[in-house]
Amino acid sequence: MPGSADPLLELLRGEVLDVAPRLLGATLRHTTAEGTVAVRLSEVEAYDGPNDPGSHAYRGQTARNGVMFGPPGRLYVYFTYGMHFCCNVVVGPPGRASAVLLRAGEVTEGAELARVRRSRSTDRDLARGPARLCQALAIGRAHDGSDLTSGPLTLTPGEPPRTPATGPRVGLRLAAEWPWRFWVEGDPTVSAYRRSPRAS
DNA sequence: CCTACGATCGTCT
DNA sequence: GACGATCGTAGGT
């Protein structure tokens, strides 16, 4: 029978718009020599490869976005604004190039270590925003392409909300109004909405 | 609470 | 040469 025994890969097989809200409540956990930090996701965004003007894959494969075109269950990490990293989970079959941006969550394990990594942050803001989340978890360029089903960096599906909130994506110039952002209603760790100054 | 702005550099045109 | 799937700070309401 088809079907992987791995519940994460089972989930990531679906269409990105179905998968994204189901990743709410999942836990991303990273163990390093310093210790373990875990974040339970409260906010994500869907990106649908070549069909999506807001996606890094919209203009096809490049050196940067290569991981998006690979198998599901890997982490796509990119560097932006000359100083920040953000991370996505690759979704769907190889070549589809769809992914879910992990935008925010609550630190549920290793808060002490996360506070060291983000020394001026309140607990609420430790992973409130995609670059903050990567900083709290010490995710960087070295983790681009990481397999999330095993190893030091794992994603474990959890209990998604019955009715996730949806709305426009944050910070995009193109296709920002597509309601492809999903979050847990009322969760204080959801990031503040910011419209791009260049949005059309 | 809000809006405005500068930092800083890899990536693509 | 332009532009970010951002963040922290500064200042006003």
Side-chain angles (χ1 to χ4, degrees):
Chain A
M1 290 302 289
S4 152
D6 190 301
L8 177 64
L9 292 181
E10 198 68 38
L11 172 57
L12 299 185
R13 176 173 298 152
E15 290 294 316
V16 69
L17 285 181
D18 294 326
V19 172
R22 291 176 173 223
L23 287 174
L24 295 172
T27 295
L28 184 62
R29 178 178 285 103
H30 191 198
T31 300
T32 67
E34 300 177 306
T36 297
V37 173
V39 170
R40 184 172 58 216
L41 301 176
S42 63
E43 181 189 6
V44 299
E45 274 174 6
Y47 287 87
D48 190 18
N51 307 312
D52 178 358
S55 170
H56 287 172
Y58 185 52
R59 287 175 175 79
Q61 188 167 356
T62 67
R64 175 176 68 158
N65 66 21
V67 170
M68 291 184 83
F69 289 79
R74 311 277 258 259
L75 199 67
Y76 164 51
V77 180
Y78 68 93
F79 180 67
T80 192
Y81 289 99
M83 62 192 93
H84 299 304
F85 292 98
C86 299
C87 68
N88 300 245
V89 181
V90 177
V91 173
R96 189 72 181 73
S98 58
V100 175
L101 173 68
L102 308 183
R103 284 200 54 88
E106 176 191 358
V107 174
T108 54
E109 188 180 337
E112 190 169 291
L113 176 53
R115 286 184 202 110
V116 172
R117 291 172 176 163
R118 291 188 37 75
S119 57
R120 304 194 195 196
S121 175
T122 62
D123 279 6
R124 180 199 190 198
D125 287 352
L126 282 173
R128 186 176 181 235
R132 292 166 169 179
L133 181 149
C134 282
Q135 198 181 352
L137 286 163
I139 288 170
R141 173 157 292 140
H143 304 99
D144 189 34
S146 282
D147 177 0
L148 294 171
T149 64
S150 65
L153 195 48
T154 59
L155 182 63
T156 307
E159 190 65 29
R162 200 183 307 277
T163 57
T166 72
R169 296 183 290 189
V170 177
L172 279 72
R173 184 169 58 89
L174 301 174
E177 302 310 313
W178 297 11
W180 286 10
R181 183 167 69 119
F182 302 90
W183 67 92
V184 178
E185 189 69 57
D187 189 313
T189 65
V190 173
S191 73
Y193 177 71
R194 293 183 179 179
R195 189 176 189 274
S196 167
R198 297 191 179 85
S200 38

